[in-house]
Structures are given as C-alpha cells and as structure tokens.
Amino acid sequence: MDGPVNKKIVDMSGFDRSEYVVSGVRTAVYSIGSGRPVIYLHGGGTFPGFDFVREWARDRRVIVPYHPGFGESDDDPRIDDVSDYIFHYIDLFNQMGLDEVDIVAHSLGAWIAAEYASVQAPRIGRLVLVAPNGVVIPEFPNPDSFKIPKEQLHEYLTADPSVALRYFPDGHDIDFLTLGFRELTAFSRVGWEYPQGNPKLRQRIHLITCPTLLLWGQQDRFFPVGGAKTWQELLPKSELRILPKTGHLVLGENPDAPGIVHEFLTR
Amino acid sequence: MPILSDTKFLVAHYMPYTDLPDECLERDSLWVDIPNAYYDPHKGHALYERYLGEAVLAEELGFDGLCINEHHATPASMMPVPSIIASAIFARTEKLRVCIMGTPPNLENPHRLAEGYAMLDVMSGGRLEVAIPLGTPMEYWVNPVAPATARDRLHESIDIMLKSWETQTGEPKGYDGKFYHYKYLNVWPRPIQQPHPPIFLVGSGSLTTVEMAARLGFGYAATFSPIPKQMKALEIYRQKSVEAGHDPDPSKFPLTAMVYVADTDEQAVEEMTPWADFYFGQLLKSGRFIELPGYIPVDEFRRRDGKFIPESHGVFDWKAIEAVYRVVAGSPETVANQLEKWAEETGSNRIICEVHIGNMPHDKVVSNMTKLAKDVIPILEERRDGAPKVEQSPQSAYLDPPEMMRFRKWTGR
C-alpha cells in the first residue's frame, strides 16, 4: 500500500527492517542496537514515529513491530478483540526466538502489553506502561478517543498543542488521512465497543509479576492521570512517575521521558 | 421512448421534524449529538398526524405505494422505527403498498425484524415491501454496533431473515453464525407474500452491495447519488443478475426522483428553492459524524480523497444539484418530460417520487401530489398508450450517455 507511514515525521534510518508472517499476516518489524531485547509497542496511531527509542538502543536491542492494521503491517480483520493481539505477539516472539523480553508500550500498545503480560508473565523481565488504557476506571473515565474531533486532536495529544502540531501535515494530505483512517479502523475493531478498556482485565492483571513502571503525563487528556493510582494498586510491583507539563504523547513531548524509561530498564 | 406498460408510481415521504429554532440551525450537525430538547413532542404529534394524512392522500390519488425511511437521533426523519409508521399507514389505507427503506437489520435482532415484517405483511394483506440499507455512518454513533463489523453483520442478518421466512414443515432448524446463534429459527407468523415480501438492497453504488443484490435476486434501490454513479451500478446489477440466473426485470431497480410540480417552471423552482435549501443545507448537515472508522474499506477512502459525502450535503446550490442528481421542479409538462427521459435511460417501471422536501408545508404537498397524479402521470400514460407499439429494449438504455462523462471528474467516479 502507498504511504503506509507519516513521511513527514517517521524516519527509520539506522533501523533494520524484517518481515514475519504471523497467522498468514505480513508483519513488519524494525530493530536497532544490540544487547538484551526491549520491545516497543506503539499506540493507536503511528504518525508520531519512534525517534525516542534510539536512546535505549545505546546498550539494548530495541524491536519495534507494527501491529496488524497499522503502519507497514498488513490488515488482519480477524483481530476483533484485544486478546487476539496476545496470541499475535506470542506467535511473533516465538518466530523471532525471543524468550524473555522487556516491554515498553504506549496507550493502545500498553493495553495490549498489559493483556500479554497477564498471560505471559514468565516471559517478561521489566514492563513500562506509558499513558495506558485497558483497565476500566469508572471514577476517571476517558473521553472516548473515537469521539475526539479531528480538528482538536493535537490539543488532546500534548500539553503544548504546538508539539503535536508538528506531526501533522500542513495542508490536505491524502496519504496522512488514509494512514489515520486505516489505523483508526484497526483500533475500532478492538476499541469501538470498549473505549474504557477491557472490563475483564482488572480480574486478571494481578498475574503480571514483573517490576513495572507506570509513566504518565500530568496533562493527559486521553487517559486522565487520576486513573494512575488504580493501575498502581492493581500492580503490586509497580512504581508511578507522573511528569509535569506533559500530555498523552509522553515519550515524544517530554525530553526526560526516554531517559527515565532507560534508567528503569537498566536497573 | 414512453414509460413501460406496467409502470407503478410511488411517492416517498421522510417525515422530518421541521420546527427548529435558529440557534439549532447554526450547528455543524443536525445528527447524532443534537439534543432532543429541540424536539417538541406535541408539535411532533401534530406532524405525525399531518404526515399520515398525506399518506392516506397518496392512496386516494391512486399512487401504488409509499416509501418511508429510517434514521436515528436527527430531525431529518421522525422514523427511527419505521415499522410503527408502516403499521399506522396500513391501518388507514386499503390498497396502498408501503416500502420500508429501511431498517439496517444489523442494528436489530434479525429474527425480530423478520417477525415484525411478517406481522406487517399479514396485517396489511400482503402490502409490505422491504428495502435493506447498511445505514448511514451517523446511525453507528447512536447504535451499539461496531462499524468495522457492520457489513459482515448485515450479511449474516439478511441470511437469518431469509431463513426466518422459510416455511418449516418438520422440526425447525437452528442457526449458527459469527454474530448470532439460534437454537430454533422459527418465525410466526410467516409472511402472506411468498416466499417473502419483495426485497431491495439500498446502495450508493458500492460494488459489494450491487453484486449481493444480484446474487440474492433482490432489487437494487439507489440512494440519492449522482446519476452516472447510479447508471454504472445499474449496468453491473443487470449483468450480475443475469450471471446469477435472476431476471433483472424493470421493477427491480426503482427510479427515484425529487419532484415538485407547479403551474409553471418559474413558479416551481421559486417555491421549491427554500424547501430544498432546508433539506440539503440543514437536514442533511451531519458535520464530523459522516466520518466513521471502518465504515468503508481503506482503498475506497483513498479513492474518495478522504471525503465521505457528496458535496451537495450541507450546502445548497440548486443548479449544481440539478446537474448531477435526479431532481426536477417544473410545470406538469417539464416534469413529465424529465421523468420519461429518466425512465427511458434506466428502463425502470417503478417510479418513486419524493413529494415532500425539507419543510414543505401541507398545502404544497397536497398540491404537488395532486398535480403529479392528475396532470403529470396522465401525460406519461397518454403518450405511452398513443404511441405505436414497439419492442421495448431497456437493455440498450443503461449505457452512460456521453454527456454524463463530464460529471465523472466531479463525482470522482
């Protein structure tokens, strides 16, 4: 497909690219650096790119897969429940020969990571959940990503809207729009009916046993920081860092964030 | 070429709620998030009474049927549950057919929809017709169905409805689908029209819908969409019907037109303009809710350059609309000529006239319907009956006339 990524922003120079066929679906995987592997699972839109992972590649092998339905991976309409991603990643990691990994994950990716870690706890060393959704928190409901008007998206993404604006094209850009529509479609297959998360995750999340960092922006308008305490209570071996003057795109907006993640991973 | 010998004339009425304050008309969208405080139930009651009266008039004037629609959370249609309207119309009429076009079966439990339609068919003595849509994107913001599953659910729901209407002589079978499971699929009552009331699929030209209608032997009812797009869909529908072993007879692809008749062309256009402005410029304003993830395939999104709707929706320009859509306002002669031309190019013998547009007042609806019945249709029938008998060949009529090609760029098709 043409224009599968945001060409204005996404720069994968220095990364190696591989493809795997997972349950019949072509899956694109980028990696950079060497050392113990750390996986980065992206959120519901790939347009901000992955520049921040380079910081971890100084002493780690960072692996960035595109979820099916996102970026350079093919569509898999059979994925219509978030738990389908668990089995996708079990399959992919088996094929890649990855036994134990660390995982850093953002937003929808963090939801997937929490589901995966609940099922595959022994295969995870350390876990970083950045601005996650997934656990339903009635006291701090999120605004439902699908209801956020397109024109206001940048105001939701970062505390300083001008930071998010630089990810967007200047005028009408059909490649960019198509990328967004396609990824929102894939997200909608698992999230349209569950914008607040998976009602069942709360009853199984205690199966996550690894050290976990919860990293949140104080001004997150997608998943309000008020819910962070609930996540911390549900994950006994977790610590919480809340970053001031930071919105939902924590790793892209706050220059300290990638380093905080790196420090936690290397402990 | 005159109209076909067995041409049926139907009217369409979308029963909008029209008494909206100015502040409401300034909104980007009159769909989905428009607070229902703007709906005054007492005024709504009066409108239902008025509109049902206009349905009765359709029978009195000799029209063959009336088409009604379904929309949710909008003043554009007061018929979120059109079966209830059909029931009221059937109770007040004796011969008039009612086509419900229609309820997206994937927004219902499909066996309950089949039950409701069977009841209506039996109660009316076999006067029901059914047109099945996917529903506009806006419906999915206010119904609990994920849009990315909408098409698959639609297909399964139609399958369930058809099986529901089959006559069971032994132990009724169950149904195991992706979305629905039934221990026994056994709908009582069963329809009076056998094997079921006439069914049309409603489409805006998407190939999947056209092919499905052809494969199942259903009719194909085009939405309000550009003429070249409708003609293309019709061409494919005919080919695919023949391939599937079904007869694409002229009643299966209705010709739908927005029609207003007055004494002169000038008077018609002048009177029609504000009502059409209210319809296109206000009632069809859907703002951001027209965009819906998963509603169309990604390549279709790209083909449409990221735009979900025709440019006619939300802005009003009669000349632009007239150039691309089937709309006509004029004297009886003008309207007759236009309908005759469209009937020839489609080869259809089922002409549906949208006789109530936007906020058209009651007396004008009455005069429009009356002139259509008493002045326009007689012209069409007279020309047909007076014409020398020729072998009619609708197959030759559906090729795109060259003058339509210039609209292709405009419509992106």
Side-chain angles (χ1 to χ4, degrees):
Chain A
M1 114 183 294
D2 296 332
V5 296
N6 183 7
K7 291 191 189 91
K8 178 179 168 188
I9 288 296
V10 179
D11 167 22
M12 301 308 274
S13 60
F15 286 77
D16 292 325
R17 186 184 189 283
S18 318
E19 284 187 4
Y20 295 84
V21 177
V22 182
S23 190
V25 177
R26 198 179 57 95
T27 300
V29 179
Y30 281 90
S31 64
I32 187 169
S34 58
R36 284 201 302 119
V38 52
I39 309 283
Y40 177 72
L41 297 182
H42 65 75
T46 63
F47 62 92
F50 311 99
D51 265 352
F52 44 81
V53 310
R54 294 177 191 272
E55 171 129 7
W56 316 327
R58 287 186 285 131
D59 51 7
R60 304 292 295 267
R61 177 186 171 209
V62 185
I63 299 165
V64 183
Y66 279 111
H67 310 313
F70 293 80
E72 297 175 29
S73 291
D74 283 351
D75 289 330
D76 187 355
R78 298 168 307 173
I79 293 183
D80 58 7
D81 184 286
V82 73
S83 65
D84 294 322
Y85 282 114
I86 300 174
F87 301 96
H88 171 81
Y89 281 110
I90 291 174
D91 196 339
L92 178 66
F93 296 164
N94 286 349
Q95 288 193 42
M96 295 179 73
L98 297 170
D99 190 20
E100 188 188 297
V101 293
D102 293 346
I103 297 181
V104 183
H106 175 241
S107 195
L108 168 66
W111 181 4
I112 294 169
E115 300 272 359
Y116 177 84
S118 304
V119 174
Q120 293 282 294
R123 289 177 75 171
I124 300 187
R126 297 177 90 77
L127 179 64
V128 181
L129 302 176
V130 186
N133 73 331
V135 172
V136 179
I137 306 169
E139 302 81 13
F140 297 97
N142 71 61
D144 187 340
S145 335
F146 296 102
K147 289 168 73 174
I148 298 170
K150 215 165 41 178
E151 314 75 53
Q152 293 173 27
L153 194 55
H154 62 282
E155 296 169 22
Y156 277 79
L157 286 169
T158 48
D160 173 0
S162 69
V163 174
L165 271 183
R166 54 166 216 257
Y167 299 129
F168 291 87
D170 299 323
H172 178 77
D173 179 342
I174 188 60
D175 289 338
F176 185 84
L177 292 174
T178 304
L179 174 74
F181 182 74
R182 174 171 179 253
E183 294 186 342
L184 208 55
T185 293
F187 182 20
S188 80
R189 290 184 204 283
V190 301
W192 183 268
E193 288 166 292
Y194 299 98
Q196 300 299 330
N198 176 3
K200 289 183 176 292
L201 183 54
R202 198 183 265 260
Q203 75 207 40
R204 53 177 80 130
I205 199 169
H206 65 276
L207 292 169
I208 298 178
T209 49
C210 64
T212 303
L213 172 65
L214 294 159
L215 189 60
W216 227 295
Q218 180 74 47
Q219 275 83 38
D220 193 330
R221 290 181 69 188
F222 267 83
F223 304 116
V225 71
K229 219 169 141 273
T230 304
W231 280 83
Q232 199 184 4
E233 284 162 10
L234 291 169
L235 295 168
K237 288 172 83 174
S238 67
E239 60 189 82
L240 172 64
R241 285 287 297 270
I242 296 173
L243 303 181
K245 293 180 187 158
T246 306
H248 183 60
L249 297 181
V250 181
L251 295 166
E253 180 172 27
N254 191 312
D256 297 334
I260 291 169
V261 171
H262 185 257
E263 186 276 322
F264 177 81
L265 291 174
T266 42
R267 259 188 235 167
Chain B
M1 192 177 83
I3 57 169
L4 296 175
S5 58
D6 45 0
T7 295
K8 303 274 188 240
F9 289 92
L10 299 86
V11 291
H13 201 316
Y14 302 143
M15 306 198 181
Y17 182 79
T18 51
D19 195 348
L20 299 165
D22 288 348
E23 75 200 56
C24 182
L25 302 181
E26 285 156 15
R27 299 173 64 89
D28 291 339
S29 168
L30 294 193
W31 296 66
V32 179
D33 66 345
I34 174 170
N36 66 2
Y38 287 121
Y39 185 83
D40 178 335
H42 298 286
K43 289 176 179 167
H45 173 78
L47 274 175
Y48 275 135
E49 285 300 310
R50 177 196 141 184
Y51 291 158
L52 290 170
E54 290 165 5
V56 171
L57 178 65
E59 169 155 292
E60 289 168 1
L61 289 169
F63 287 101
D64 297 291
L66 178 87
C67 304
I68 56 177
N69 69 355
E70 165 171 330
H71 291 300
H72 299 261
T74 176
S77 162
M78 296 202 305
M79 300 187 282
V81 189
S83 290
I84 291 175
I85 297 290
S87 186
I89 294 171
F90 283 141
R92 294 168 198 223
T93 54
E94 285 173 5
K95 286 186 294 205
L96 192 73
R97 297 180 71 80
V98 173
C99 182
I100 301 179
M101 51 192 312
T103 299
N106 48 341
L107 300 185
E108 284 260 7
N109 272 321
H111 77 288
R112 281 187 68 92
L113 191 60
E115 287 173 337
Y117 283 164
M119 284 173 66
L120 285 170
D121 197 43
V122 173
M123 288 165 71
S124 69
R127 292 189 277 147
L128 180 70
E129 300 183 359
V130 176
I132 298 176
L134 175 65
T136 71
M138 289 80 83
E139 325 301 344
Y140 290 88
W141 292 98
V142 290
N143 280 279
V145 170
T149 66
R151 280 170 209 273
D152 287 347
R153 265 182 201 274
L154 175 70
H155 299 164
E156 186 169 317
S157 300
I158 291 171
D159 191 37
I160 290 167
M161 289 173 71
L162 290 176
K163 289 194 164 64
S164 293
W165 285 331
E166 283 174 7
T167 302
Q168 308 290 334
T169 48
E171 186 183 26
K173 294 185 191 69
Y175 189 91
D176 289 293
K178 180 172 173 1
F179 301 100
Y180 301 97
H181 166 83
Y182 294 94
K183 301 262 180 288
Y184 297 96
L185 199 54
N186 187 26
V187 162
W188 287 65
R190 63 192 178 90
I192 204 166
Q193 298 179 87
Q194 283 294 314
H196 51 69
I199 302 176
F200 301 83
L201 285 194
V202 179
S204 58
S206 118
L207 201 61
T208 331
T209 311
V210 177
E211 287 180 343
M212 186 174 170
R215 178 166 48 82
L216 293 170
F218 294 169
Y220 178 78
T223 58
F224 191 79
S225 48
I227 295 172
K229 202 172 168 184
Q230 291 194 31
M231 296 305 288
K232 187 74 203 163
L234 182 51
E235 182 185 341
I236 296 165
Y237 172 74
R238 282 185 159 122
Q239 284 168 2
K240 297 284 174 186
S241 291
V242 172
E243 283 169 28
H246 295 294
D247 177 17
D249 81 68
S251 68
K252 281 183 161 174
F253 36 89
L255 152 62
T256 304
M258 187 177 281
V259 173
Y260 184 66
V261 197
D263 292 335
T264 64
D265 290 354
E266 296 72 28
Q267 187 196 345
V269 172
E270 190 189 324
E271 289 185 354
M272 171 78 150
T273 299
W275 310 321
D277 188 12
F278 187 78
Y279 179 70
F280 290 105
Q282 287 295 342
L283 290 179
L284 295 186
K285 258 189 345 194
S286 52
R288 64 195 174 92
F289 298 112
I290 195 73
E291 291 194 29
L292 185 69
Y295 182 76
I296 52 173
V298 174
D299 54 352
E300 176 74 15
F301 178 87
R302 180 182 286 279
R303 202 156 44 235
R304 295 185 192 183
D305 196 29
K307 299 184 184 73
F308 274 72
I309 36 165
E311 317 227 348
S312 63
H313 291 44
V315 289
F316 177 70
D317 176 351
W318 181 253
K319 285 281 163 213
I321 288 168
E322 206 178 29
V324 185
Y325 296 92
R326 291 206 171 103
V327 297
V328 56
S331 68
E333 184 77 20
T334 299
V335 172
N337 290 343
Q338 193 59 269
L339 288 178
E340 196 173 64
K341 173 176 169 279
W342 288 330
E344 178 173 359
E345 75 188 19
T346 56
S348 173
N349 66 3
R350 180 182 164 93
I351 299 178
I352 303 173
C353 296
E354 298 174 342
V355 291
H356 172 273
I357 292 103
N359 51 358
M360 188 188 283
H362 175 65
D363 62 322
K364 296 296 180 179
V365 181
V366 171
S367 99
N368 189 24
M369 289 169 69
T370 306
K371 286 186 164 64
L372 184 60
K374 294 193 185 307
D375 300 335
V376 176
I377 294 172
I379 294 177
L380 293 168
E381 290 175 340
E382 216 166 274
R383 287 182 191 170
R384 174 191 62 202
D385 299 338
K389 287 272 170 262
V390 288
E391 196 59 41
Q392 292 176 331
S393 59
Q395 294 292 329
S396 62
Y398 62 85
L399 298 171
D400 272 357
E403 67 268 24
M404 281 179 187
M405 300 302 282
R406 69 192 161 94
F407 295 123
R408 297 218 149 181
K409 189 162 181 292
W410 192 89
T411 58
R413 301 295 290 170

